[in-house]
Amino acid sequence: MDLAALKTQLKNFVQSMFEEGVLDNQFSQIQALQDSTNPNFVEEVITLFCNDAEKIINEINRNLGYQNVDFSNLDSYVHQLKGSSSSIGANRLKLACANLRQASDERNKEG
Amino acid sequence: MQGQLLIEIVMRNRLTALVVDGNTTCWVLEQELLHSYGVQTLGVDNSKDAVDLIASDAKFNLIIIEKILPVLNGLEVTRQIREIGVRCKMLEVTACSGESERQAFLATGVGAFIEKPLDPEHLVHILRELDG
């Protein structure tokens, strides 16, 4: 596939993520920050976010695996993930964190 | 992918800001957003470095601080910075918070309290205020 076609495919993919609510307006802001002085900004930030998020999600899973879940420790991880996902425009992930926080507040391990 | 910033302003002065956030993604994004408005920024990822920097007389027009931080929490750091005598605008930016926490922060004299993400609308309003 040639470069132009790949770019179009990527653009369409990103657009569908906006339409499905996976991404929100904050992601547009990040796209707007990319310019000739910082040409790979979007890619760099996404990579950074994914690395951070993976570590945090692993920690969350680990915490949830315990018999007695330490909800305040869990809360701190969820807070971080919510912060970074909302900052990057990962809307659905941000909403999932809010739900997780709610369940955590209710000490609801099943939730 | 390139685009226009959703809000554009022309600044008269060169402002400086300190960003304090333990989360790298947020830290990078907040600094880049500030850079795009011509603000010179410094970033630290923990409370101790933030307090040490302020205590060493580094001057900033704006300090942006997250609630949950390594070493000391954001509320305590804000208090310490105010106790050192720093009167510049401080902005608390955090992922989520209740009303009582918001009030606690505002009581320390932090200028403003917003939920993440740090968006241009809020930031531009503050930058315009600081720019005079």
Side-chain angles (χ1 to χ4, degrees):
Chain A
M1 200 187 270
D2 70 4
L3 184 58
L6 270 175
K7 281 185 176 176
T8 305
Q9 195 178 53
L10 176 60
K11 192 174 163 200
N12 291 339
F13 182 58
V14 172
Q15 184 56 31
S16 69
M17 286 203 277
F18 275 111
E19 285 161 10
E20 288 166 32
V22 175
L23 293 176
D24 63 26
N25 192 47
Q26 184 64 14
F27 189 73
S28 308
Q29 283 300 312
I30 293 169
Q31 290 174 306
L33 288 173
Q34 181 161 293
D35 60 18
S36 53
T37 61
N38 211 347
N40 301 313
F41 183 66
V42 176
E43 187 201 320
E44 285 168 5
V45 164
I46 291 173
T47 307
L48 195 57
F49 170 71
C50 290
N51 289 336
D52 269 354
E54 194 181 340
K55 286 182 197 146
I56 294 173
I57 290 170
N58 285 339
E59 284 300 320
I60 289 172
N61 279 329
R62 197 169 62 88
N63 269 271
L64 284 172
Y66 296 140
Q67 182 83 344
N68 293 316
V69 177
D70 180 347
F71 284 102
S72 61
N73 197 25
L74 188 68
D75 191 59
S76 165
Y77 285 117
V78 176
H79 179 104
Q80 282 201 60
L81 188 58
K82 189 180 182 226
S84 53
S85 56
S86 65
S87 298
I88 202 174
N91 184 52
R92 228 187 250 173
L93 184 52
K94 173 187 80 173
L95 294 173
C97 287
N99 288 338
L100 184 48
R101 262 206 128 200
Q102 175 86 5
S104 183
D105 281 349
E106 292 161 6
R107 298 293 191 260
N108 180 358
K109 189 174 171 180
E110 295 312 314
Chain B
M1 286 170 234
Q2 291 186 340
Q4 290 283 293
L5 275 172
L6 297 184
I7 304 178
E8 294 204 19
I9 56 170
V10 177
M11 305 284 293
R12 284 189 297 203
N13 300 299
R14 185 113 180 133
L15 298 179
T16 56
L18 174 65
V19 174
V20 189
D21 198 321
N23 185 295
T24 323
T25 310
C26 298
W27 191 88
V28 163
L29 286 172
E30 283 162 10
Q31 285 203 87
E32 190 57 32
L33 184 60
L34 288 161
H35 284 156
S36 71
Y37 286 112
V39 180
Q40 209 171 316
T41 73
L42 204 58
V44 291
D45 66 4
N46 69 86
S47 332
K48 183 175 184 308
D49 287 353
V51 175
D52 286 350
L53 198 57
I54 302 289
S56 72
D57 225 24
K59 295 270 183 279
F60 301 98
N61 299 109
L62 176 66
I63 300 176
I64 294 182
I65 188 153
E66 150 67 64
K67 182 180 80 163
I68 291 186
L69 290 170
V71 186
L72 284 176
N73 68 54
L75 183 60
E76 197 41 49
V77 173
T78 308
R79 281 200 187 114
Q80 288 197 10
I81 290 176
R82 285 296 186 225
E83 271 162 27
I84 291 172
V86 169
R87 291 285 163 261
C88 71
K89 183 87 172 182
M90 289 182 73
L91 171 63
E92 169 64 21
V93 180
T94 187
C96 35
S97 215
E99 189 54 32
S100 59
E101 281 170 309
R102 174 188 282 261
Q103 293 303 329
F105 266 99
L106 292 172
T108 63
V110 86
F113 185 107
I114 67 168
E115 273 209 26
K116 277 181 179 165
L118 177 62
D119 62 300
E121 222 174 285
H122 278 103
L123 184 59
V124 162
H125 178 76
I126 289 171
L127 292 179
R128 278 200 176 122
E129 199 186 298
L130 292 172
D131 201 28

